[in-house]
Amino acid sequence: RVLSVPGLGLQQNKDTVFFRDGVRRIDFILSYLDDKDGEKKQERRREFEANLKKAGLELETEDKSDSDDLKTYFLKIHAPWEVLATYADVLKIKVPFKESDIPHGQDVPLEWLSRPFRLPEKVMRPQPDYFTSPFDKDKIDFFLIKNQDTFFPPSTRNRIVYYILSRCPYHKEDRKETDKKGIKRLLNNGTYTSAFPLHDCRYWERNTNEQCESERYHLYKNWARFLCFYKEQPLNLIRKYYGEKIGIYFAWLGFYTEMLFFAAVMGVICFTYGVLSYDDNLTSKEICDPSIGGSTVMCPLCDKKCSYWKLNSTCLSSWQSHLFDNEGTVFFAMFMGIWVTLFLEFWKRRQAQLEYEWDLVDFEEEQQQLQIRPEFETKCTDQRLNRITQEMEPYLPLPKKCGRFCLSGVTVLFWMLLIVACITGVIVYRLAVYAAFASIMKDSPTKKIHLVGSLITPQLATSVTASFINFIIIMILNFFYERVAIWITDMEIPKTHLEYENKLTMKMFLFQFVNYYSSCFYVAFFKGKFVGYPGNYTYMFGKYSRLRNEECDPGGCLIELTTQLVIVMTGKQVCGNIQEALLPLLRNWWCSRKARKDQYSRWEQDHDLQNFSQLGLFYEYLEMVIQFGFITLFVASFPLAPLLALCNNILEVRVDAWKFTTQFRRPVAAKAHNIGAWQEILNVVAILSVVTNAFIMAFTSDMIPRLVYLYAYHPGSEATMSGYINNSLSVYDISQIPLLSMPEEGAIPAWFNSSFITTCRYRDYRYPPGHQRQYSHTMQFWHILAAKLAFIIIMEHVVFVVKFFVAWLIPDVPSEVKARIKRERYLIQEYLHNYEVEKLKIQLSQSFIIEPKPGVCTATDMHDVLSECL
């Protein structure tokens, strides 16, 4: 508490969270600039602040002459006990009435192994466990109210004050202008420049006031520093300081990161198997063998500019492909399908445990109706009778709702088609530029670059440059669509904050899904599947466009999918971390310099921080769910993706913690008992991932054709892969190549002699020239297709059966939590019953203070009868 010391005054320590009297706590801060031509703003502020006082709030203004920039006024708001009690009753806020006597749980065996990863008990459990009940203003003596000033924690206080601010009008009493309501509109029209609750101290040092718990300091010391990356998160302290909504996000992010560890270990094992079996890869050996791959002449990959080429030029890519396209990849893909189920089911259990520990068991969606958006109340002028409450409430008529919904749907569809158009443009780039790279590299000028010259091929150059261009397009479209999605959702006028977030979540994820994954879907499922054969190639926009569909290397398209996935996924994570961590460092350094000044007040320090918007948490979820899609939908092509995600998330947890603790103003506390619509999105991605990985293994990988050859078409008695390359390449007569597809004279390499080389090879299963069914598919092609379809059906059914069995086997709510919930409900009812009985006894005692008349029952008799009946 700041005391008034004669001769010193109160201005020497402005780093305080109290009014000038040192008694009343600052629950909220509003800031504004006194514009020269801002008479309308001044009038709005006068009316708004007058109405705040009528609502019972207490205000105190800091003049601009006391601010650091000499321009900004700060309005400090305090909610007295009467206001807090009234609105806690309205919002049904749960408060303690008795300390819990239920033990936390039994000791875990070998608990000493986890001690290095644990935090101090006072940090993990900042307050005792209590039995709680919704606050009732008429039962004040029922609750554990030791001190009215500290009974409601700061997070609850700022939540109540913000509820008042968002609904307080700023029009005069004689004018009933319903749209002039709420702090959001005042912020939008510039009447106020910011509105935020205060942090309780500087993050690098404790508050000198003993009444302040310095929770921000403890969060920074034990959570936000990167050196704590191996420590558990203080979830209870996060929830106490920031509210349940932010607490549940960090709980989910931490649990997701822990589960990634097991997926990363299996991915590393799968990759290690590919490395160890490197020398046993007969397919790559045949490609690199000068007598086999060096003597195999391949047909041109594009018209005119591309020439004949030798198979051994793809030697390096075939070795690289084996690292990810091997027998272990099949088992890893099946493992990831089961891992996803385990992750989601165990998260449900963890979520149920948090709901119990954080008093969210009875937090139903109906309570969200108390959080009707002020924008809905303002824009919906129509009224109707609520059948439940029998009160008039605003609503949006069906014709208006349908019109807004149709406009929203058309806008979303337009932007999705725009993404498809951009991806089509990237495909056209790949087709057009491949010929250019082939023409440039025909004389091998890159071999002059000794370090990387031998690694550069037209296929690699095209794939890498197209992936980078695609990534740039993704980031640009993201920038525009974020604003479009918010505008569309605002236009729909959702009723509650929950409905608003769910609608925005679905729109943004649908867009991001198409934006980030469409290029990977193209490489995985379309590239090299509709090529045709020499003399009858398939063209993208018709034969006269000369844009021939892309072919896969003889080693398969999987390595290209790996390249695409690595560039997009890694690029997104690197850009996200730079944006989240490195750019704010300069701002943090400047604010730290200013914060060392003695007269730099607590509200000015927080004013200079970044505002945490209502959608701030939405973007954090979106980033992680997009990453979740990368490591599940296409993980068969890159087993190391979970490892990259794990490394990123270890950093992400601490970067997010650092941002919340040091870079953001303190957000208004909000409640949430789960991760909302993201849970359903994760379930859909989990189911879709089984299908995509099955198709990747069947159609993108060369696993099935190799197995069919090994067990059905190998010519020798011993099953080996020798001769597979020759078996998988068909033959075409060079003289039958159309003139429009024939290589130009300048493109033909010097080693090509048309007198001796009369045929070229291409990747397909077709009959050779001279056969009665020349250039039509062989029986082996149909056998391989049947094997691919059978593999997809078997893998999907096996994984789905295991998934549903695991989901059935693991209950969503642990039995221990169920028992605790029932026990707590029973005890709460018992305490409430005893309280009501004692209260009734006191009332009866007071009514029988006067000596009773003869024949009238005494108060003692009434007590006995009442107790027995109750």
Side-chain angles (χ1 to χ4, degrees):
R1 177 170 304 195
V2 180
L3 299 177
S4 178
V5 180
L8 294 179
L10 295 173
Q11 297 300 320
Q12 290 188 349
N13 181 18
K14 296 180 69 176
D15 188 25
T16 177
V17 293
F18 292 94
F19 275 24
R20 295 191 190 97
D21 57 14
V23 177
R24 293 172 293 172
R25 189 183 185 104
I26 302 173
D27 296 315
F28 228 88
I29 290 288
L30 304 181
S31 68
Y32 60 91
L33 299 173
D34 192 7
D35 300 333
K36 296 180 180 179
D37 53 349
E39 295 182 2
K40 289 185 178 180
K41 295 180 181 179
Q42 291 179 9
E43 183 180 353
R44 293 192 202 112
R45 284 194 290 267
R46 280 195 300 269
E47 295 298 331
F48 186 67
E49 293 169 14
N51 289 328
L52 289 179
K53 291 179 180 178
K54 291 177 182 178
L57 299 178
E58 298 176 3
L59 312 178
E60 185 176 86
T61 304
E62 289 288 333
D63 191 80
K64 65 180 181 180
S65 59
D66 296 328
S67 64
D68 188 67
D69 60 3
L70 302 178
K71 297 178 182 179
T72 308
Y73 290 87
F74 293 95
L75 179 67
K76 298 178 285 186
I77 301 176
H78 168 77
W81 168 257
E82 191 65 27
V83 174
L84 294 173
T86 300
Y87 283 92
D89 194 350
V90 171
L91 297 173
K92 304 299 179 185
I93 293 174
K94 286 189 173 184
V95 293
F97 65 87
K98 186 182 187 301
E99 190 166 343
S100 174
D101 55 4
I102 300 178
H104 293 305
Q106 300 177 352
D107 294 335
V108 180
L110 301 177
E111 186 180 3
W112 59 273
L113 292 174
S114 63
R115 287 177 185 171
F117 308 101
R118 293 194 170 276
L119 292 172
E121 185 67 18
K122 65 178 181 179
V123 177
M124 292 302 299
R125 297 189 179 276
Q127 60 186 6
D129 288 338
Y130 293 101
F131 292 134
T132 60
S133 178
F135 186 80
D136 190 340
K137 197 175 179 182
D138 297 329
K139 299 177 181 178
I140 295 293
D141 52 339
F142 175 68
F143 302 103
L144 288 178
I145 306 177
K146 298 178 181 178
N147 185 346
Q148 291 184 351
D149 293 336
T150 58
F151 179 67
F152 293 107
S155 57
T156 302
R157 297 174 69 99
N158 70 56
R159 179 185 165 202
I160 291 174
V161 173
Y162 184 75
Y163 183 86
I164 299 172
L165 291 174
S166 61
R167 283 157 178 79
C168 184
Y170 55 89
H171 57 77
K172 294 183 179 180
E173 291 184 359
D174 56 343
R175 298 180 184 176
K176 296 299 181 182
E177 299 170 283
T178 57
D179 61 327
K180 293 188 174 182
K181 180 191 294 185
I183 187 62
K184 281 189 177 181
R185 290 183 64 86
L186 292 174
L187 290 171
N188 291 336
N189 59 33
T191 304
Y192 291 99
T193 56
S194 62
F196 54 92
L198 287 179
H199 283 294
D200 59 0
C201 65
R202 297 172 178 175
Y203 67 85
W204 65 86
E205 63 182 0
R206 299 175 186 268
N207 198 310
T208 56
N209 193 323
E210 294 181 357
Q211 282 191 331
C212 292
E213 297 175 335
S214 300
E215 292 174 346
R216 186 189 187 193
Y217 166 77
H218 291 300
L219 285 171
Y220 177 74
K221 180 182 177 183
N222 298 286
W223 179 49
R225 296 186 304 164
F226 183 74
L227 294 178
C228 302
F229 73 93
Y230 63 95
K231 296 279 189 180
E232 60 183 337
Q233 296 187 85
L235 295 177
N236 289 315
L237 185 58
I238 297 169
R239 172 244 181 172
K240 184 172 181 282
Y241 191 74
Y242 291 112
E244 288 80 2
K245 192 171 185 178
I246 292 177
I248 206 79
Y249 163 72
F250 279 104
W252 176 82
L253 179 58
F255 184 81
Y256 171 47
T257 304
E258 291 171 8
M259 290 295 292
L260 273 176
F261 173 78
F262 302 102
V265 169
M266 289 301 298
V268 171
I269 292 174
C270 178
F271 180 77
T272 304
Y273 172 80
V275 173
L276 295 179
S277 61
Y278 201 69
D279 294 333
D280 300 330
N281 182 17
L282 291 178
T283 304
S284 296
K285 287 183 177 180
E286 288 186 353
I287 292 176
C288 299
D289 190 341
S291 61
I292 301 176
S295 62
T296 303
V297 179
M298 303 296 293
C299 298
L301 294 174
C302 65
D303 295 344
K304 294 293 185 180
K305 299 294 183 182
C306 299
S307 181
Y308 307 99
W309 53 285
K310 292 185 178 181
L311 180 60
N312 63 352
S313 64
T314 61
C315 175
L316 181 64
S317 64
S318 68
W319 284 111
Q320 293 170 344
S321 179
H322 175 73
L323 295 176
F324 307 108
D325 189 5
N326 53 67
E327 294 80 1
T329 309
V330 179
F331 298 99
F332 181 66
M334 299 181 71
F335 166 81
M336 286 301 296
I338 300 171
W339 174 88
V340 169
T341 304
L342 292 173
F343 163 62
L344 294 176
E345 292 302 319
F346 281 123
W347 166 246
K348 290 178 184 176
R349 292 170 61 85
R350 176 61 175 147
Q351 189 171 255
Q353 185 178 357
L354 289 175
E355 285 183 19
Y356 165 72
E357 293 177 357
W358 292 356
D359 286 325
L360 299 170
V361 174
D362 298 324
F363 181 79
E364 302 294 339
E365 291 186 1
E366 286 76 10
Q367 281 194 319
Q368 293 290 336
Q369 299 304 318
L370 295 171
Q371 301 180 19
I372 293 178
R373 298 174 65 240
E375 293 85 351
F376 182 83
E377 297 175 334
T378 300
K379 296 179 181 179
C380 297
T381 55
D382 297 290
Q383 299 277 329
R384 70 177 176 185
L385 184 68
N386 188 311
R387 296 180 181 179
I388 299 175
T389 63
Q390 293 298 309
E391 296 179 357
M392 299 300 294
E393 65 176 8
Y395 85 105
L396 190 64
L398 185 60
K400 293 183 180 178
K401 185 180 293 186
C402 291
R404 293 171 183 269
F405 178 78
C406 291
L407 180 59
S408 172
V410 170
T411 307
V412 172
L413 181 61
F414 167 78
W415 278 86
M416 290 178 64
L417 292 176
L418 180 62
I419 297 172
V420 174
C422 292
I423 298 302
T424 305
V426 174
I427 296 172
V428 171
Y429 165 85
R430 297 171 71 107
L431 301 179
V433 138
Y434 180 83
F437 278 127
S439 177
I440 294 172
M441 297 178 182
K442 65 179 184 294
D443 298 324
S444 301
T446 56
K447 292 188 177 179
K448 297 177 182 177
I449 309 173
H450 298 291
L451 293 178
V452 298
S454 60
L455 308 181
I456 299 176
T457 62
Q459 294 94 331
L460 178 63
T462 303
S463 179
V464 171
T465 56
S467 297
F468 275 109
I469 291 173
N470 181 65
F471 176 70
I472 294 171
I473 291 175
I474 286 173
M475 302 308 292
I476 293 173
L477 290 176
N478 273 348
F479 175 80
F480 288 105
Y481 188 76
E482 285 179 5
R483 288 149 181 79
V484 173
I486 294 173
W487 174 77
I488 295 171
T489 310
D490 288 338
M491 180 194 62
E492 293 179 2
I493 320 179
K495 185 175 182 180
T496 64
H497 294 296
L498 179 65
E499 186 181 350
Y500 182 90
E501 290 185 4
N502 288 345
K503 287 188 174 184
L504 183 61
T505 296
M506 297 307 297
K507 291 182 182 65
M508 281 297 295
F509 179 76
L510 190 62
F511 170 80
Q512 299 278 21
F513 184 91
V514 178
N515 198 19
Y516 277 104
Y517 304 143
S518 54
S519 58
C520 292
F521 271 100
Y522 164 73
V523 175
F525 306 124
F526 295 96
K527 183 180 177 182
K529 308 301 185 293
F530 310 99
V531 177
Y533 61 92
N536 189 24
Y537 282 117
T538 305
Y539 294 84
M540 186 171 184
F541 300 112
K543 191 172 184 179
Y544 295 99
S545 67
R546 314 312 303 162
L547 294 174
R548 208 168 90 189
N549 287 350
E550 286 185 284
E551 296 184 43
C552 292
D553 285 341
C557 272
L558 195 72
I559 191 64
E560 288 197 44
L561 178 58
T562 303
T563 303
Q564 181 76 24
L565 182 64
V566 170
I567 290 177
V568 176
M569 179 180 172
T570 308
K572 183 182 185 304
Q573 292 182 349
V574 170
C575 289
N577 289 329
I578 290 175
Q579 184 179 1
E580 291 182 3
L582 297 182
L583 294 181
L585 282 177
L586 292 175
R587 182 187 182 91
N588 184 45
W589 172 78
W590 174 248
C591 291
S592 298
R593 286 188 61 193
K594 294 178 67 178
R596 294 187 182 98
K597 299 180 181 179
D598 294 335
Q599 297 303 316
Y600 194 50
S601 63
R602 158 78 9 236
W603 42 91
E604 287 181 278
Q605 294 176 40
D606 287 6
H607 178 264
D608 287 343
L609 298 177
Q610 300 177 52
N611 179 46
F612 184 77
S613 66
Q614 185 181 354
L615 299 176
L617 211 56
F618 166 83
Y619 293 113
E620 302 295 341
Y621 273 119
L622 182 63
E623 179 184 1
M624 288 295 102
V625 171
I626 293 297
Q627 181 204 83
F628 179 80
F630 278 125
I631 68 164
T632 53
L633 294 174
F634 308 102
V635 73
S637 67
F638 187 48
L640 294 180
L643 179 63
L644 292 181
L646 175 64
C647 297
N648 175 80
N649 287 9
I650 290 174
L651 179 64
E652 181 75 21
V653 171
R654 303 304 160 178
V655 168
D656 286 349
W658 174 76
K659 287 193 306 180
F660 273 91
T661 310
T662 67
Q663 300 300 300
F664 286 139
R665 298 169 185 163
R666 185 173 184 172
V668 179
K671 280 186 173 291
H673 70 297
N674 55 35
I675 60 175
W678 298 110
Q679 183 76 41
E680 296 303 320
I681 290 175
L682 292 175
N683 290 331
V684 172
V685 172
I687 294 173
L688 184 60
S689 67
V690 178
V691 180
T692 56
N693 283 300
F695 272 84
I696 287 173
M697 295 307 303
F699 288 98
T700 309
S701 167
D702 264 6
M703 182 61 58
I704 303 301
R706 288 200 295 262
L707 292 176
V708 171
Y709 174 79
L710 182 65
Y711 294 109
Y713 285 89
H714 187 268
S717 57
E718 184 180 354
T720 64
M721 290 301 296
S722 61
Y724 169 73
I725 289 298
N726 184 62
N727 175 267
S728 64
L729 297 176
S730 300
V731 181
Y732 193 82
D733 188 348
I734 292 177
S735 63
Q736 296 179 1
I737 296 178
L739 184 62
L740 293 176
S741 300
M742 189 69 71
E744 297 174 346
E745 288 294 331
I748 297 176
W751 55 263
F752 182 82
N753 189 338
S754 58
S755 302
F756 297 99
I757 302 175
T758 59
T759 61
C760 63
R761 311 295 293 271
Y762 61 99
R763 195 171 188 263
D764 207 341
Y765 294 91
R766 295 179 183 271
Y767 289 107
H771 193 277
Q772 60 181 357
R773 299 179 59 192
Q774 67 175 6
Y775 306 136
S776 62
H777 284 121
T778 64
M779 188 56 67
Q780 185 176 356
F781 170 84
W782 300 110
H783 287 168
I784 291 174
L785 180 61
K788 289 179 177 180
L789 296 177
F791 174 82
I792 291 172
I793 294 172
I794 294 173
M795 178 177 173
E796 286 183 355
H797 280 69
V798 169
V799 175
F800 278 132
V801 167
V802 175
K803 279 170 64 69
F804 290 130
F805 176 73
V806 169
W808 171 80
L809 189 66
I810 302 174
D812 292 347
V813 182
S815 57
E816 182 184 358
V817 173
K818 287 182 180 179
R820 285 170 175 266
I821 292 173
K822 292 178 180 179
R823 169 67 176 165
E824 184 166 331
R825 284 176 175 170
Y826 167 76
L827 292 176
I828 289 174
Q829 290 178 354
E830 184 179 5
Y831 288 130
L832 281 170
H833 165 267
N834 294 335
Y835 169 78
E836 293 292 346
V837 170
E838 292 299 325
K839 189 175 181 180
L840 195 53
K841 285 181 179 180
I842 294 173
Q843 291 176 354
L844 291 173
S845 299
Q846 292 175 351
S847 63
F848 280 93
I849 292 178
I850 304 175
E851 184 178 349
K853 298 179 181 179
V856 179
C857 295
T858 63
T860 305
D861 297 334
M862 293 287 288
H863 290 170
D864 295 339
V865 175
L866 180 62
S867 298
E868 186 176 350
C869 293
L870 291 173

